[in-house]
Amino acid sequence: MTWLRVALLLSAVALNTLLHVGPLLLAALLKALLPFKRIRQACNRVLTGLAESWIAVNTAMLDRFTGTRFQVVGEADLKVDGHYLVLANHQSWVDIVVLQKVFNRRIPLLRFFLKRQLFWVPVLGLAWWALDFPFMGRYTRSQIAKNPELGRRDMEVTRRACEKFRSIPVSVMNFVEGTRFTPEKHARQDSPYRHLLKPRSGGVAFVLDAMGDALHAVLDITIAYPGGRPSMIDLIAGRVPAVHVRVQQRPIPAELLGGDYQGDRTYRTRFQQWMNGLWQEKDARLEQLLAAGRAEGPARP
C-alpha cells in the first residue's frame, strides 16, 4: 500500500506539473517575443502566479496524504512584495519542498541558483528557465584555479540575474553549504560544526554586491528533521513524522555592502567572519530543534 501511495502521489505531481507548464511556457514565450515593459510585467505576474499555484497544489496533496507535522517558528512580518536573501542549511531535496510550503504566497517566489546541467531536466528545466532561475557552472576551486575565467562566468551570471531581480519582488535562495549534508562530507571537510558543513561565502557576497541596497532583509532559515535526514520518497511515503523550521529575519550589516569580495582580502575576511558567526548560531539552533523534536516523540497528529 505504501508503494501504491507513492506511485499515485508521484503521478499526481507529474500531472499537476504538466497542467501548469504549458501556460507557463506560453507566457514566457510572449515575454521573450514582445519585450515591452508593460507586457513583460504582466507576463511576470502570470508566471509567478502559475508557479505559486503549482506549489500550492503539490503542498495540498502532501498535506492530505503524508501526515507530516510542520512546526514553524518566527514567520511573522513577512512581505509578499519584499526583496529577501534567503539562507538555509541543506540536508535533503525535501528542504525545497519544506521551503515552498512554508513561504509560498508569504514572500516572493523563491528563486534558486541552479547547476547548469539541471536545464536539461525534462519539463522542469524549461519551467525554471521561464521563471528566470539563473543557471551556473558551479565550478570547483581547483577548476577555477586552473581556469579563472570559469569563476568570472558564474560571477557574470549572478550579476545579470540580480539586475533582473532588482525590478521585481524576489526571494533569492542560497544553500550556503553548496551541497547536501552527509556524514561523509562532514568528515572530509573536518567541519567545525556539529550538524552543518562549512558555509561558502562567495555567492552570498556576490548577491549583496549586486543588489544589497535593494534587499529588505536576510531570512535565516534553519530546517530540522528529528526523525533523521529524509529522502523525497520518505516524505511521499509518509515516513517523515515532523519537520521543525525556525525563521529569523536579520538586517544586512551596512559594513558588508559595497565591498570587493574578490579583490579586498580584509573585506573578504570580515565577510567570512560574519558568515561563520551565522553558522555557529545555526548549528546551536539546529541542536535545540533536534532535541525538542526527539523529546516530542514520533507520534503524528
Side-chain angles (χ1 to χ4, degrees):
M1 291 299 294
T2 296
W3 286 106
L4 177 60
R5 178 169 61 178
V6 169
L8 290 173
L9 269 176
L10 287 176
S11 298
V13 170
L15 178 60
N16 181 40
T17 301
L18 292 174
L19 290 174
H20 280 85
V21 80
L24 188 142
L25 293 178
L26 178 59
L29 185 62
L30 289 174
K31 177 181 170 181
L33 295 178
L34 302 172
F36 303 105
K37 183 176 180 180
R38 290 188 178 180
I39 292 177
R40 290 180 64 85
Q41 290 174 340
C43 287
N44 280 332
R45 288 192 293 271
V46 171
L47 289 166
T48 298
L50 287 166
E52 291 174 341
S53 173
W54 177 77
I55 292 169
V57 174
N58 287 341
T59 298
M61 289 189 294
L62 289 171
D63 284 346
R64 174 65 180 83
F65 294 107
T66 67
T68 299
R69 182 177 67 253
F70 285 80
Q71 183 179 90
V72 185
V73 178
E75 56 181 336
D77 302 323
L78 299 177
K79 296 180 173 62
V80 73
D81 59 348
H83 286 74
Y84 296 109
L85 174 59
V86 183
L87 308 179
N89 59 308
H90 193 19
Q91 303 166 79
S92 163
W93 287 113
V94 176
D95 298 341
I96 297 174
V97 176
V98 171
L99 290 166
Q100 289 176 336
K101 172 181 171 58
V102 171
F103 293 114
N104 191 41
R105 294 172 175 162
R106 304 287 308 281
I107 62 175
L109 181 70
L110 290 165
R111 284 179 166 84
F112 299 79
F113 286 83
L114 301 172
K115 293 180 181 179
R116 188 168 296 143
Q117 297 90 328
L118 292 178
F119 176 79
W120 303 107
V121 174
V123 182
L124 287 177
L126 286 174
W128 291 325
W129 166 81
L131 289 164
D132 289 326
F133 282 42
F135 290 91
M136 306 178 70
R138 295 283 183 88
Y139 304 105
T140 65
R141 290 181 180 179
S142 60
Q143 288 175 314
I144 293 174
K146 293 178 182 178
N147 184 3
E149 179 60 28
L150 298 178
R152 287 191 285 270
R153 288 180 193 172
D154 276 354
M155 289 174 61
E156 182 60 21
V157 169
T158 302
R159 187 194 64 78
R160 289 199 305 267
C162 290
E163 284 300 317
K164 288 183 181 180
F165 294 160
R166 290 179 70 93
S167 62
I168 60 173
V170 71
S171 301
V172 182
M173 179 66 223
N174 194 317
F175 287 119
V176 183
E177 293 156 295
T179 184
R180 285 165 288 164
F181 178 98
T182 66
E184 294 76 19
K185 294 174 185 175
H186 184 267
R188 191 161 57 244
Q189 282 191 355
D190 192 22
S191 173
Y193 311 104
R194 183 173 180 181
H195 303 287
L196 302 167
L197 302 179
K198 295 178 181 179
R200 298 182 178 182
S201 303
V204 179
F206 296 151
V207 172
L208 287 185
D209 181 50
M211 58 180 305
D213 59 333
L215 293 169
H216 293 151
V218 171
L219 294 185
D220 182 3
I221 315 301
T222 305
I223 304 172
Y225 302 102
R229 290 183 299 111
S231 68
M232 195 67 76
I233 294 299
D234 289 330
L235 178 66
I236 295 172
R239 295 196 292 259
V240 182
V243 180
H244 290 213
V245 181
R246 176 69 181 268
V247 182
Q248 184 172 358
Q249 288 199 55
R250 295 181 179 271
I252 299 171
E255 65 271 18
L256 296 183
L257 298 176
D260 180 4
Y261 187 86
Q262 289 290 95
D264 185 341
R265 180 177 297 181
T266 301
Y267 173 80
R268 183 166 63 250
T269 299
R270 187 165 65 246
F271 199 100
Q272 290 171 345
Q273 288 173 343
W274 175 70
M275 283 298 309
N276 289 336
L278 292 184
W279 238 234
Q280 288 172 358
E281 292 182 29
K282 184 180 294 295
D283 200 41
R285 192 179 307 121
L286 190 50
E287 174 64 26
Q288 293 170 356
L289 293 174
L290 290 171
R294 288 191 292 264
E296 290 176 3
R300 294 183 189 148

